[in-house]
Amino acid sequence: QVQPVESGGGSVQAGGSLSVACTAPELTSKACTVEWFRHFTENEREWVPGYERDWVALFRSNGDTSYLASVEGRFTVSTDKDKDTVYLQMSSLKSEDTAMYSCKICFPKKDCGSGPQDCSYGHGTRVSVSS
């Protein structure tokens, strides 16, 4: 099972922009979906079972995207096929966007249209927005 690696993130003032990346071998050519999640924690730690994780955005292999209502218009998913990377570009950031951001990738066992998929999460990368 391929595990994605997140990168980017960091600290920014409210109103600023930041981008986080999700990378894995053959991610943009073979993955069915790439989803972004975030969880809120007082400590800089990766997500562990038991912590609630909020869904943020979805990218499908056909190019469709969807977003959490509170980030719609501010966050955008984009891809770089040469780097097998999916980005979550964040703008007009708010303090409430401060969180650990992780991506979930799903590859088909057979094809994306039907059947089971292999899914895995990365460890996450932290985004901190100061007001």
Side-chain angles (χ1 to χ4, degrees), residues 39-125:
H39 73 278
F40 307 95
T41 174
E42 294 180 356
N43 303 313
E44 291 189 10
R45 57 191 296 179
E46 65 183 71
W47 181 86
V48 294
Y51 281 83
E52 185 174 347
R53 183 155 47 188
D54 295 338
W55 176 85
V56 176
L58 164 69
F59 172 81
R60 293 188 183 278
S61 57
N62 64 1
D64 289 345
T65 56
S66 57
Y67 300 92
L68 178 69
S70 62
V71 308
E72 182 87 48
R74 299 190 297 122
F75 290 12
T76 303
V77 175
S78 63
T79 64
D80 185 330
K81 294 183 178 180
D82 291 336
K83 296 182 179 179
D84 269 324
T85 298
V86 175
Y87 298 95
L88 181 66
Q89 296 173 310
M90 303 175 287
S91 61
S92 301
L93 283 162
K94 305 175 182 179
S95 57
E96 51 262 42
D97 294 319
T98 294
M100 284 290 288
Y101 285 75
S102 56
C103 63
K104 173 187 174 184
I105 62 175
C106 292
F107 286 88
K109 289 186 180 294
K110 189 174 182 180
D111 61 71
C112 290
S114 61
Q117 298 178 1
D118 283 325
C119 299
S120 61
Y121 288 90
H123 293 291
T125 184

